[in-house]
Amino acid sequence: MIAATSVPDAVSKLGDGKEKRIVWLMLPSGTPTEIQIQDLAHMLSKGDIIIDGGNSNYKDSQRRGAFLAERGIGFMDAGTSGGIWGLENGYCLMVGATPEVAKTIEPILIALAPAKDRGWAHVGPIGAGHFTKMIHNGIEYGMMQAMAEGLDLLKGKEDLNLDLAQITELWRHGSVVRSWLLDLTADALKEDQELTAVAPYVADSGEGRWTVMESVEQGVAAPVLTLALQARFRSQDATGYSYKLLSMMRNGFGGHFVKSVGD
Amino acid sequence: MIAATSVPDAVSKLGDGKEKRIVWLMLPSGTPTEIQIQDLAHMLSKGDIIIDGGNSNYKDSQRRGAFLAERGIGFMDAGTSGGIWGLENGYCLMVGATPEVAKTIEPILIALAPAKDRGWAHVGPIGAGHFTKMIHNGIEYGMMQAMAEGLDLLKGKEDLNLDLAQITELWRHGSVVRSWLLDLTADALKEDQELTAVAPYVADSGEGRWTVMESVEQGVAAPVLTLALQARFRSQDATGYSYKLLSMMRNGFGGHFVKSVGD
Amino acid sequence: MIAATSVPDAVSKLGDGKEKRIVWLMLPSGTPTEIQIQDLAHMLSKGDIIIDGGNSNYKDSQRRGAFLAERGIGFMDAGTSGGIWGLENGYCLMVGATPEVAKTIEPILIALAPAKDRGWAHVGPIGAGHFTKMIHNGIEYGMMQAMAEGLDLLKGKEDLNLDLAQITELWRHGSVVRSWLLDLTADALKEDQELTAVAPYVADSGEGRWTVMESVEQGVAAPVLTLALQARFRSQDATGYSYKLLSMMRNGFGGHFVKSVGD
Amino acid sequence: MIAATSVPDAVSKLGDGKEKRIVWLMLPSGTPTEIQIQDLAHMLSKGDIIIDGGNSNYKDSQRRGAFLAERGIGFMDAGTSGGIWGLENGYCLMVGATPEVAKTIEPILIALAPAKDRGWAHVGPIGAGHFTKMIHNGIEYGMMQAMAEGLDLLKGKEDLNLDLAQITELWRHGSVVRSWLLDLTADALKEDQELTAVAPYVADSGEGRWTVMESVEQGVAAPVLTLALQARFRSQDATGYSYKLLSMMRNGFGGHFVKSVGD
């Protein structure tokens, strides 16, 4: 490993351009990735390759791939799942690239992917890697939401006084819902199943939103992926304007009691 | 109008039982209606009629109709829509009864319904009145929710700084969404479109819930009616346990930031 | 009314450019509107105004407004609701424009809008007209879906043998769900409530989709507007691949019977 | 293993009633289970125990438990997950019972559960076993639907020509969505990812429906579990009456083209 103090410095240390240079970016999607790829386009030469290992929108990756191709620079979009647990639990790489670029990068992917010939796959042309990762995350949203709703109902059945840590641990052993998400959930519930310290606020990232937009663009119903995203939106909504509207309408037509702020 | 001090007193003032006696109940659904009908069953005689003008579950009405029929007492379930606005704006009556009972009650319905031969209808056998009313309310939930979501999005588009009172008033004149619910909404928004004093809490009544159960029993998808009900459930959920679970899971697999209580 | 054989001919007949020329377009959104506005930009002069009375995406309108402003040409986006029923039932115009352009066009809007000072409104800057129209249509989707689901449940309750034409007609008189959509529905059901000749296929237009995308962009939950759109997607899906997947999974883990093509 | 030709014969072979007799039922829920338990109630004696290992509604189990308790007969509700794969992959048992009954049955559960002290758990009082199993299945519905929607979108992105067998196999190795359901899906897609022979029809069983009813009874939003169930309802709906209604309404207000049967 050789340290570098700047991107130009790093690029210079990759050699003088006589050999193929490969730059693997792991940056936040959007502007940071965009700027870096634009910059690198001027530092790199024909035959070099840029890999975007971040969570970019696949349309950006397609656009960037075309832009770099005009300059003779190769591009690979590599969606990564497994996150911070990768080292311990493995992770997988979904790769989009031309066959030529994929062939060049293959030895690196084999070296990187913990499950040798199974922890990565060249799933299609440029953009296919990030597209596949996007859908993966959409599914993840849906699975998480299914789990959260079910556990909410277990907890809500107060007269049975169920132990959610016990039940999720049990489900890990032979049930149909066994999954890595369940493993994590069972672990977390062992500590404090009331989740006293956790705020009822769920952030969302680009990929969940892009998946829903994709379903609109394709004209394909994806109610569960969509509602999972919208549950997060709800959790982020501190004002509840739509609820206020509903309460006001109810009062309007039925003289129903309106709960006032402060009640 | 003759005042009575108790139900037995009222029944006695309806005559000595030589003529048909008709008792119209307007009570909260559930126990109050149940008790009253049980009591009346012992005070009334063969040929008398009980009308339940409240919001009972249609299955209760069917059961009560059968119970009273065994005693020779007629029954009518009359769902009413229009609520407190009835006097000014009219209301409508959805009536379930045997043809005989319906024929007996017809003069009363004609006298009561503001829109003479259009403000009431004998829609079917016992239970049909409350069933029709239940579905009416389910639709109402959906329409209200559609309106609330749309207005929420208008408000959320902050850079356009839209005037919701102006827009809802405009829509009343010729648009496809013109409706009584829109009339009420436009009126209410004229006063304070921020709805500052209204708490973001929406109550729900039995009929919205029964409609969703009906869709489950029939095995018929009713996503909009269901989600409209669940939006109200969300507004009533002060703890947000499912959001806590999701936030905790996110943290588990991605090391994502968890918003803590107090943040 | 003066006939013209081409757009350049029409523009020339609007005068020699010494007076303000106003061109009102009513074209399909997307490419046809785009091409026409690009063409007109070269035929018109400073001070002239283009009105887009079609169903354009508000972002396109904002972009076109800025493009025309660079050339000194005014722009107005006018969303129209009421469609083919406008002449009989009125319609309403939601207008986005600068105050100057709005002032110029005002006499025309007053002349056009059937409900004089109530059938149109200048709701905000360029784009606000089409944005407001978009949300209007989103609400319309939700209201239609609510109605359709409710009627589906009425019909599904076979033992009550309900007459949907009778019930929808009744609801028009005093109920909470009375609305123009209900008027149309009641009318249509009078003829054939089985809808034998109608295919179970519902088309969708841009505005329903854009509304859902707007909810994703704003991060605002709009479950009913979204599910109403997705119900249409479902109706358009002839293959049912997701159902096939589910059936296959069910078989996989439970040995459940899989219905085969041809069963 | 001793064969018996009838239930009375089986009961007699369990001994003369001096020792505790334990009867484990694995029957379809509803009437078959009800009849059998009623019958057994008359054949068994005080201290004997009936175990319902089927998929009964937890309310039925609570009622039956109370009914048997009056006769001094113990009851255990044992929800089982893992189905036909149990022998190979393990399965888990969710058990509801009084502490006394649970203690009596414990040796049997230890013997039966493949993952010794982890493949079963006494989760609460009578009813708790079937309640937990019901929620388990609700979650399963949601997870399956999430997976199906995501794969549908992968397939719908036709220009990327993705290989769903490759991608689901890849996801099994390190991704966040890895799960038993994914294992099964990946396996099945290896054969024919078009699923040509599978009809787009998904059956549903009681537990998915009961979970949605539970959410209505608790007043807890469970959009994903509900929409997963409703997707199955849609797949079962051959008529599409709600779509016909929507299409008819669209035609009514906009003169939109209505697709006729036969188009």
Side-chain angles (χ1 to χ4, degrees), chain C residues 27-248:
Chain C
L27 293 171
S29 67
T31 310
T33 298
E34 185 69 30
I35 290 175
Q36 200 56 72
I37 288 179
Q38 294 295 334
D39 282 359
L40 282 168
H42 297 100
M43 299 177 208
L44 298 176
S45 323
K46 213 170 157 173
D48 292 342
I49 294 172
I50 298 175
I51 302 173
D52 178 1
N55 282 327
S56 296
N57 186 304
Y58 81 94
K59 292 180 183 178
D60 286 330
S61 298
Q62 289 178 328
R63 179 178 49 75
R64 289 166 189 156
F67 162 78
L68 293 170
E70 285 171 20
R71 280 148 192 78
I73 301 171
F75 181 75
M76 170 178 281
D77 50 301
T80 311
S81 177
I84 56 163
W85 290 87
L87 271 184
E88 281 173 53
N89 289 269
Y91 55 90
C92 71
L93 291 164
M94 297 150 252
V95 163
T98 60
E100 298 72 37
V101 166
K103 196 160 187 63
T104 305
I105 307 296
E106 194 175 310
I108 304 177
L109 296 170
I110 291 173
L112 279 175
K116 292 291 164 226
D117 38 333
R118 300 185 303 176
W120 69 279
H122 177 213
V123 296
I126 289 174
H130 282 147
F131 184 87
T132 304
K133 175 67 194 322
M134 174 184 87
I135 299 296
H136 167 277
N137 282 31
I139 294 174
E140 175 193 310
Y141 273 51
M143 288 172 68
M144 286 172 69
Q145 180 68 23
M147 197 83 75
E149 291 177 10
L151 299 182
D152 203 16
L153 291 171
L154 284 180
K155 188 162 196 305
K157 188 67 183 166
E158 291 174 1
D159 56 330
L160 291 182
N161 194 25
L162 300 167
D163 178 346
L164 272 60
Q166 180 201 39
I167 290 170
T168 47
E169 179 59 33
L170 171 63
W171 284 348
R172 294 182 62 217
H173 305 284
S175 88
V176 169
V177 301
R178 63 188 189 263
S179 54
W180 191 51
L181 284 168
L182 179 64
D183 296 347
L184 293 170
T185 304
D187 258 12
L189 289 172
K190 267 162 207 145
E191 296 169 25
D192 168 25
Q193 65 183 268
E194 295 299 322
L195 301 173
T196 319
V198 182
Y201 178 98
V202 201
D204 74 282
S205 57
E207 285 150 320
R209 297 191 181 204
W210 300 334
T211 300
V212 174
M213 294 207 171
E214 179 68 26
S215 92
V216 176
E217 284 177 27
Q218 285 192 21
V220 165
V224 156
L225 307 192
T226 307
L227 270 295
L229 177 69
Q230 295 196 351
R232 297 187 178 198
F233 291 167
R234 285 266 191 237
S235 82
Q236 299 164 14
D237 176 13
T239 312
Y241 187 64
S242 68
Y243 299 146
K244 288 174 171 239
L245 284 163
L246 289 167
S247 183
M248 172 273 284

Side-chain angles (χ1 to χ4, degrees), chain D residues 141-203:
Chain D
Y141 272 52
M143 288 173 67
M144 285 173 69
Q145 180 68 24
M147 197 82 77
E149 291 178 10
L151 297 182
D152 202 17
L153 290 171
L154 284 180
K155 188 164 195 306
K157 187 69 182 165
E158 292 174 1
D159 56 329
L160 291 182
N161 195 25
L162 299 165
D163 178 347
L164 272 60
Q166 180 200 38
I167 290 169
T168 47
E169 178 60 34
L170 172 62
W171 285 347
R172 296 182 61 218
H173 304 284
S175 89
V176 170
V177 301
R178 63 188 188 262
S179 54
W180 191 52
L181 284 167
L182 179 64
D183 295 346
L184 292 171
T185 304
D187 259 10
L189 289 173
K190 265 161 210 149
E191 295 169 27
D192 168 25
Q193 65 183 268
E194 295 300 320
L195 302 172
T196 319
V198 182
Y201 179 97
V202 200

Side-chain angles (χ1 to χ4, degrees), chain A residues 186-252:
Chain A
D187 258 11
L189 290 173
K190 267 162 207 146
E191 296 169 27
D192 167 27
Q193 66 182 264
E194 295 299 321
L195 301 173
T196 319
V198 181
Y201 179 99
V202 201
D204 73 282
S205 57
E207 285 149 319
R209 297 191 180 202
W210 300 334
T211 300
V212 174
M213 294 209 172
E214 180 68 25
S215 91
V216 176
E217 283 177 27
Q218 285 192 18
V220 166
V224 155
L225 308 192
T226 306
L227 271 295
L229 177 69
Q230 295 197 352
R232 297 186 178 199
F233 290 168
R234 286 267 190 236
S235 82
Q236 299 164 16
D237 175 13
T239 312
Y241 187 65
S242 69
Y243 300 146
K244 287 173 172 241
L245 284 163
L246 290 166
S247 183
M248 173 273 285
M249 284 184 223
R250 267 193 109 227
N251 177 252

Side-chain angles (χ1 to χ4, degrees), chain A residues 85 140 144-145 155 184 188 193 195-199 203 231 234 241 243-244 246 248 250 252-253 259-261, chain B residues 85 140 145 155 184 188 193 195-199 203 231 234 241 243-244 246 248 250 252-253 259-261:
Chain A
W85 290 88
E140 175 193 311
M144 286 171 71
Q145 180 68 23
K155 189 163 196 303
L184 292 171
Q193 66 182 264
L195 301 173
T196 319
V198 181
R234 286 267 190 236
Y241 187 65
Y243 300 146
K244 287 173 172 241
L246 290 166
M248 173 273 285
R250 267 193 109 227
F253 66 74
K259 212 172 161 183
S260 299
V261 172
Chain B
W85 289 89
E140 175 192 311
Q145 180 67 24
K155 190 165 195 305
L184 292 170
Q193 66 182 267
L195 301 172
T196 319
V198 181
R234 286 267 191 236
Y241 187 65
Y243 299 146
K244 288 174 172 238
L246 289 167
M248 172 274 283
R250 267 193 110 227
F253 65 75
K259 214 172 161 181
S260 299
V261 172

Side-chain angles (χ1 to χ4, degrees), chain A residues 147 151 154-155 163-169 171 182-195, chain B residues 241 244-245 248-249:
Chain A
M147 197 83 76
L151 298 182
L154 284 181
K155 189 163 196 303
D163 177 347
L164 273 60
Q166 180 201 39
I167 290 170
T168 47
E169 178 59 33
W171 285 347
L182 179 64
D183 296 345
L184 292 171
T185 304
D187 258 11
L189 290 173
K190 267 162 207 146
E191 296 169 27
D192 167 27
Q193 66 182 264
E194 295 299 321
L195 301 173
Chain B
Y241 187 65
K244 288 174 172 238
L245 285 163
M248 172 274 283
M249 284 184 222

